């Protein structure tokens, strides 16, 4: 019997959030994967050999962006049918987590490294949905009691 290949969606804003996910390369490099991120120079250059779906930006605290990215999430997730969705934020994670959960995907959220004492808005929202919620500082477990502290990704 052949090995079942895990299909992974990596979703996040460009910049630091995307870099967090890219640093997990030893995990995702042998998986059937695709990315959902902003179509910006930094992200497109980092992911030039990857399958990438562009998301609408700017997205922080924007209802318009949330709606547009929710529609894109439905289309992308219906087409790709990932087993697992991983995000390190920010705003694009929210529609992908809600829709992915409804479609039966497992969800992993990684709270960003630069937060050691307070949460992010996206982390606060995704904490309720995530199957596994990862923090990078032990102090963050006071805010997210069910979180797993794996230490720094860096």
């Amino acid at each position: 019997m052949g090995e079942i290949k895990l299909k992974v969606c990596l979703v996040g804003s460009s910049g630091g959030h995307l870099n967090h996910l890219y640093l997990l390369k030893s995990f995702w490099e042998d998986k059937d994967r695709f990315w959902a991120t902003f179509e910006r120079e930094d992200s497109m250059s980092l992911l030039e050999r990857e399958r990438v779906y562009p998301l609408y930006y700017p997205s922080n605290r924007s209802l318009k962006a949330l709606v547009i990215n929710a529609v894109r999430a439905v289309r992308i997730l219906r087409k790709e049918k990932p087993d697992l969705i991983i995000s390190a934020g920010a705003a694009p994670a929210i529609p992908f987590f809600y829709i992915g959960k409804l479609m039966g995907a497992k969800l992993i959220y990684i709270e960003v490294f630069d937060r050691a004492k307070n949460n992010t808005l996206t982390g606060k929202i995704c904490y309720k949905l995530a199957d596994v919620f990862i923090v990078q500082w032990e102090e963050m477990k006071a805010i997210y009691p069910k979180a797993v502290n794996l230490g720094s990704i860096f």
Side-chain angles (χ1 to χ4, degrees):
M1 198 138 97
E3 182 182 331
I4 297 173
K5 191 131 181 155
L6 188 65
K7 189 168 202 179
V8 180
C9 168
L10 297 127
V11 60
S13 307
S14 56
H17 298 284
L18 186 64
N19 286 332
H20 265 83
L21 295 174
Y22 198 83
L23 289 171
L24 302 173
K25 187 174 185 173
S26 63
F27 167 77
W28 55 255
E29 68 184 333
D30 65 345
K31 311 284 188 290
D32 179 7
R33 65 190 176 274
F34 65 95
W35 299 77
T37 189
F38 302 149
E39 194 172 19
R40 297 177 52 110
E41 190 175 327
D42 61 337
S43 54
M44 293 302 105
S45 125
L46 182 67
L47 302 174
E48 67 183 335
R49 290 184 170 83
E50 297 290 318
R51 192 165 73 244
V52 180
Y53 291 93
L55 299 177
Y56 182 84
Y57 70 94
S59 63
N60 288 351
R61 293 176 170 72
S62 164
L63 184 58
K64 176 183 176 182
L66 180 65
V67 170
I68 292 169
N69 285 331
V71 169
R72 290 184 184 183
V74 168
R75 288 182 185 144
I76 294 165
L77 296 176
R78 258 197 206 148
K79 176 183 177 185
E80 293 285 353
K81 297 176 181 60
D83 303 298
L84 177 63
I85 299 172
I86 304 173
S87 185
I94 296 168
F96 276 80
F97 267 44
Y98 273 99
I99 293 159
K101 189 73 154 182
L102 290 172
M103 295 177 75
K106 295 294 181 189
L107 309 174
I108 297 176
Y109 188 83
I110 304 163
E111 186 64 289
V112 293
F113 180 75
D114 63 347
R115 294 298 178 111
K117 297 193 180 220
N118 57 3
N119 58 2
T120 60
L121 178 59
T122 305
K124 184 177 177 178
I125 293 167
C126 290
Y127 179 68
K128 298 169 186 161
L129 298 167
D131 294 290
V132 177
F133 193 93
I134 297 170
V135 294
Q136 299 180 61
W137 298 97
E138 191 61 29
E139 296 88 339
M140 291 301 287
K141 290 191 72 176
I143 296 168
Y144 301 117
K146 295 181 286 183
V148 176
N149 176 15
L150 295 182
S152 171
I153 290 174
F154 298 100

